[in-house]
Amino acid sequence: MTQVACIGECMIELKQAHGDGQAGLFSRGYGGDTLNTSVYLARLGVGVDYITALGDDPMSDEMLVGWATEGIGTSRVARLKGKLPGIYMIQTDAYGDRRFFHWRENAAARSLMDLPETGDILNSLATYDVIYLSAITLSIYTQQGRTKLLGGLGNARKHGARIVFDTNYRARGWPDPEVARAVFGAAFAVSDIVLASPEDLLPLYPDETDEQLMARIPCNEAVLKLLSPGSIVRFEGLLREVRPEPITQPVVDTTAAGDSFSAAYIAARLAGAEPVEAARAGHRLGGIVVCYPGAIIPRSAMPASILPGPGSTRKASP
């Protein structure tokens, strides 16, 4: 059985070229937070399906071929006649920090919760071990669509699925912070694991400390990725701080640092690692990803393992 379902949107990615004489040139690929996580999960040996909607255009065809090549299941992808994927462009500065520009208002993925097959898609969630989604996932749907999805997640939990929610907050995707806070609260309530950061939460809960932000997350297992290198892991009521290994290569692009962290964390937990070790695995993969341009690094750059040797501590999988 496929272990993980990732729900969200994949867009066409225009990535800034690097090198002399290449100013203003962009290469074309594809990406999106939950799709990036799906790719890294598949590369780490986890069975994963991507759940989204695409158009009937050649670029959507290209995406499906690329996902299948990465080992991602595509049987849950809806195809919509006359629709197209969204587009985003990445610009990075000398420090690897990035700016995103989006064209996605009419993207096919936004209709996923309003299709004749939506009910079947939501019912299928109960067949997975883990379901992963982000705040960006929730932001692309209507309020009615979000209600349907959260109901489907609740039903899947009753059948034993574990829900992982990433607080990837982008203000431009929400009508106002009040709506976002309400949706975050509903997502927290149906989640078993929350992967968060002050960068995501402080715009919604200004001036709160890391401890206060963590207290807003009711589930048993939560990770707060800090603004300085490291994270705080809460599991079974205990807080542990995790410091990553130093990055020894130049940081060129922070795109997908959080997405790859999520993939490594989930993969490590499924492999039996305890949450602290899973967070170390997340930092380890994220520290590699930021040394390459774009969301998806070359296969040759993937680590042989994200976990240490046989001496690592183990605990029950999520």
Side-chain angles (χ1 to χ4, degrees):
M1 181 177 70
T2 300
Q3 291 174 287
V4 180
C6 293
I7 309 172
E9 178 183 19
C10 181
M11 293 175 285
I12 298 165
E13 177 189 86
L14 300 179
K15 182 172 58 182
Q16 194 171 12
H18 293 268
D20 294 339
Q22 298 191 43
L25 297 179
F26 292 81
S27 62
R28 180 171 63 84
Y30 56 81
D33 62 339
T34 53
L35 187 278
N36 300 336
T37 298
S38 297
V39 170
Y40 288 115
L41 279 167
R43 289 185 178 184
L44 293 170
V46 176
V48 56
D49 283 346
Y50 196 55
I51 299 179
T52 191
L54 290 175
D56 58 351
D57 58 288
M59 288 172 289
S60 293
D61 293 339
E62 182 181 301
M63 285 184 184
L64 287 173
V65 171
W67 302 350
T69 300
E70 287 285 356
I72 297 168
T74 60
S75 62
R76 309 286 188 199
V77 177
R79 303 295 301 272
L80 306 185
K81 186 175 181 179
K83 286 286 190 178
L84 294 167
I87 300 174
Y88 72 97
M89 183 174 68
I90 305 171
Q91 286 188 334
T92 52
D93 63 20
Y95 302 98
D97 290 324
R98 77 279 193 209
R99 296 178 66 197
F100 291 97
F101 303 88
H102 293 83
W103 297 264
R104 68 196 302 192
E105 289 76 12
N106 297 308
R110 303 177 78 91
S111 301
L112 183 65
M113 292 296 118
D114 304 302
L115 304 175
E117 59 264 47
T118 297
D120 291 338
I121 291 171
L122 294 175
N123 288 335
S124 75
L125 298 180
T127 66
Y128 294 94
D129 296 320
V130 173
I131 302 163
Y132 173 81
L133 74 159
S134 74
I136 292 178
T137 305
L138 292 169
S139 74
I140 68 173
Y141 306 132
T142 63
Q143 183 57 50
Q144 183 180 24
R146 288 192 284 265
T147 300
K148 289 181 185 178
L149 177 54
L150 291 168
L153 296 175
N155 179 65
R157 285 183 88 196
K158 293 177 183 177
H159 289 81
R162 308 288 279 176
I163 312 302
V164 182
F165 176 58
D166 189 320
T167 63
N168 200 359
Y169 176 70
R170 298 293 181 267
R172 63 180 170 268
W174 298 92
D176 60 65
E178 192 64 33
V179 172
R181 280 190 287 268
V183 174
F184 269 54
F188 289 157
V190 299
S191 296
D192 299 284
I193 300 173
V194 171
L195 304 177
S197 73
E199 182 181 12
D200 295 331
L201 297 182
L202 284 175
L204 297 177
Y205 313 106
D207 302 320
E208 293 197 354
T209 65
D210 293 339
E211 291 73 18
Q212 289 172 318
L213 294 175
M214 287 287 271
R216 288 189 173 276
I217 302 170
C219 60
N220 184 50
E221 185 173 344
V223 180
L224 189 71
K225 293 165 283 182
L226 302 175
L227 297 176
S228 59
S231 59
I232 298 172
V233 176
R234 186 185 70 213
F235 186 63
E236 296 182 346
L238 299 177
L239 293 175
R240 293 277 303 277
E241 188 169 348
V242 178
R243 290 296 172 187
E245 302 161 5
I247 298 174
T248 58
Q249 300 296 321
V251 173
V252 298
D253 189 349
T254 56
T255 304
D259 308 333
S260 57
F261 179 100
S262 297
Y265 188 93
I266 293 168
R269 293 291 282 128
L270 286 168
E274 66 169 348
V276 167
E277 193 56 61
R280 290 196 181 103
H283 288 302
R284 193 171 296 124
L285 183 57
I288 294 170
V289 168
V290 298
C291 299
Y292 294 84
I296 306 300
I297 65 175
R299 281 182 173 271
S300 59
M302 286 293 296
S305 174
I306 55 166
L307 291 172
S312 61
T313 306
R314 297 286 186 245
K315 234 176 191 181
S317 298

